Amino acid sequence: MPDVSVIVPNYNHAPYLAPRLDSILSQTYRNYELILLDDASTDGSQDMIRQYQQVHPQIRVFINNRN
């Protein structure tokens, strides 16, 4: 069980998503879970989230079908 839950809400913030996720994933502390929440983004955020999940399968992703 992770000690820390990092929850990243997102809605149409694709330009900021990669730096945000890279910052979290580069931390030296490793006993955490990363949960990404997307509220039906239309700016490509969901594709980026899925790409990160492919590389980091421990990321849990929840995508809403509508805002």
Side-chain angles (χ1 to χ4, degrees):
M1 180 99 171
D3 287 337
V4 176
S5 295
V6 179
I7 301 172
V8 179
N10 185 69
Y11 177 68
N12 287 340
H13 281 91
Y16 310 104
L17 193 54
R20 186 179 340 164
L21 296 178
D22 290 341
S23 175
I24 295 165
L25 293 167
S26 69
Q27 299 298 309
T28 57
Y29 185 78
R30 288 286 174 216
N31 194 13
Y32 67 89
E33 64 179 339
L34 178 53
I35 301 169
L36 293 173
L37 309 173
D38 186 80
D39 201 13
S41 292
T42 58
D43 67 344
S45 293
Q46 293 179 16
D47 293 331
M48 188 179 303
I49 288 170
R50 287 187 183 100
Q51 289 173 359
Y52 269 87
Q53 189 180 34
Q54 286 178 356
V55 175
H56 305 280
Q58 74 275 20
I59 296 175
R60 297 173 55 199
V61 175
F62 299 91
I63 297 176
N64 290 337
N65 292 327
R66 62 185 173 117
N67 184 286

